[in-house]
Amino acid sequence: MNKQANLITELDSLVSEGRNPATMDIDLLDTSTLLSRINNEDQKVALAVQAVLPQITLAVDAIVSAFSQGGRLIFIGAGTSGRLGVLDAVECVPTFSVSDQQVVGIIAGGEKAIFKAVEGAEDSTSLVLDDLKNINLNAKDVLVGLAASGRTPYVLSGLAYAKSLAVTTVGIACSPDTPVLSQADIAICPVVGPEVLTGSTRLKSATAQKMVLNMLTTASMIKSGKSYQNLMVDVNASNEKLYARAIRIVMQATGCDYDTGKAALVQADNSAKLAILLVETGIDAEQGQRLLAQNDGFLRLAINEALGG
């Protein structure tokens, strides 16, 4: 059997590549009914993610541990999966004021592949080795391999290389019993079933992957002290909208008025977290910075300590 025939046989075995019996007539439907069918399928995604919460929990705990030791969270993937990893990594910088080196997204084919498919990149087992060596992947890191099909050579090679370095690995795929899952230390497989449009894994499979990524980064950052209550207290006030948001966060956290919140933010050098600490406790910025450092950035702990709680 030639390579193409082997690939067809392989695709036939994947849940994500199956034909969806609920959409066999999709090309005959009026627009409203067509959209209803898509929406009905999308509703299955959250339940599929719910079923793998125990595995997501293991991954979050591993990432939090890595962060505490100076390690990084690194996503690798090709095509849509790779773009989702890059998107989630990029968004961590303004949301949580972390370095762009703490959460890293790598896509097969490099930055140009974000906008246009790079021929053969996902099938390469060597490109990923260069990509991971270039960022000095090491045992402190957590590597997450994303592949809706669970079989992308670029991702498989990256996971194998990571394991050779004793890096904790996470595999995310939407087809069970696939190599990306078996090669990873932690396997996350939200089974969303066949797509509305056969094989178009940018639909339910991509939505499921994005939901899992949202959980991995958001929960890991919260567990690392990047929130207070449900507020983004480490938001980077790098533009007018985010500066206004930072003032609002101070007001929401403390119940203070606009002028007090803005003055505290100025005193705190635009750190909403520090500004909240100052308003809540009445200490000065230098004392506040020291308290936050002593409490590993956890604002609630710093407030309790300052107030003698």
Side-chain angles (χ1 to χ4, degrees):
M1 193 179 289
N2 64 34
K3 186 175 180 180
Q4 285 298 315
N6 280 330
L7 182 55
I8 290 171
T9 300
E10 195 174 320
L11 292 174
D12 283 341
S13 69
L14 300 175
V15 171
S16 61
E17 296 290 333
R19 296 192 71 183
N20 192 327
T23 61
M24 296 291 283
D25 60 347
I26 201 167
D27 57 329
L28 302 175
L29 303 178
D30 63 83
T31 303
S32 178
T33 307
L34 168 58
L35 296 178
S36 292
R37 293 281 180 90
I38 293 173
N39 182 247
N40 287 340
E41 291 299 312
D42 285 344
Q43 292 179 50
K44 299 175 182 178
V45 177
L47 294 176
V49 173
Q50 181 185 54
V52 294
L53 286 177
Q55 292 74 36
I56 298 173
T57 299
L58 293 175
V60 168
D61 288 344
I63 294 163
V64 172
S65 177
F67 286 166
S68 71
Q69 299 172 61
R72 300 165 295 173
L73 171 58
I74 299 162
F75 300 124
I76 58 170
T80 299
S81 296
R83 294 181 188 102
L84 289 172
V86 170
L87 173 64
D88 222 64
V90 168
E91 290 291 343
C92 284
V93 177
T95 305
F96 301 109
S97 290
V98 295
S99 161
D100 60 5
Q101 301 303 306
Q102 184 170 340
V103 184
V104 179
I106 299 174
I107 182 170
E111 287 187 14
K112 59 185 176 182
I114 296 172
F115 306 100
K116 186 177 181 181
V118 175
E119 192 72 28
E122 73 173 62
D123 294 322
S124 172
T125 57
S126 59
L127 282 177
V128 69
L129 303 183
D130 293 335
D131 291 340
L132 293 176
K133 288 175 183 177
N134 284 341
I135 63 165
N136 191 31
L137 181 71
N138 63 82
K140 290 183 179 180
D141 301 325
V142 172
L143 181 75
V144 177
L146 294 150
S149 68
R151 50 158 297 282
T152 307
Y154 178 92
V155 176
L156 291 173
S157 181
L159 289 172
Y161 175 67
K163 295 198 83 169
S164 75
L165 300 176
V167 173
T168 298
T169 56
V170 179
I172 302 176
C174 293
S175 287
D177 304 317
T178 48
V180 160
L181 300 173
S182 62
Q183 286 197 20
D185 298 315
I186 301 168
I188 300 174
C189 184
V191 183
V192 296
E195 300 288 359
V196 167
L197 201 59
T198 305
S200 183
T201 52
R202 69 182 185 85
L203 301 174
K204 288 190 297 182
S205 295
T207 301
Q209 289 180 90
K210 184 64 174 79
M211 290 178 73
V212 173
L213 291 175
N214 287 347
M215 289 182 174
L216 293 183
T217 51
T218 303
S220 297
M221 292 297 176
I222 290 171
K223 299 285 286 184
S224 299
K226 294 292 184 179
S227 75
Y228 173 63
Q229 299 168 356
N230 62 352
L231 298 171
M232 298 186 298
V233 292
D234 266 331
V235 65
N236 182 8
S238 57
N239 59 40
E240 285 298 321
K241 185 186 81 170
L242 291 176
Y243 186 73
R245 175 171 286 169
I247 297 174
R248 185 167 180 262
I249 286 170
V250 176
M251 294 169 65
Q252 289 173 312
T254 66
C256 73
D257 59 25
Y258 171 83
D259 290 335
T260 301
K262 184 174 181 180
L265 197 63
V266 170
Q267 187 181 353
D269 195 25
N270 292 345
S271 167
K273 177 185 283 185
L274 180 55
I276 292 167
L277 181 58
L278 304 188
V279 174
E280 289 286 79
T281 66
I283 62 178
D284 63 33
E286 186 177 342
Q287 289 175 299
Q289 289 171 335
R290 186 165 59 250
L291 268 179
L292 285 172
Q294 290 170 359
N295 287 280
D296 298 319
F298 285 86
L299 177 55
R300 194 183 290 269
L301 296 179
I303 291 173
N304 288 342
E305 184 175 337
L307 297 177

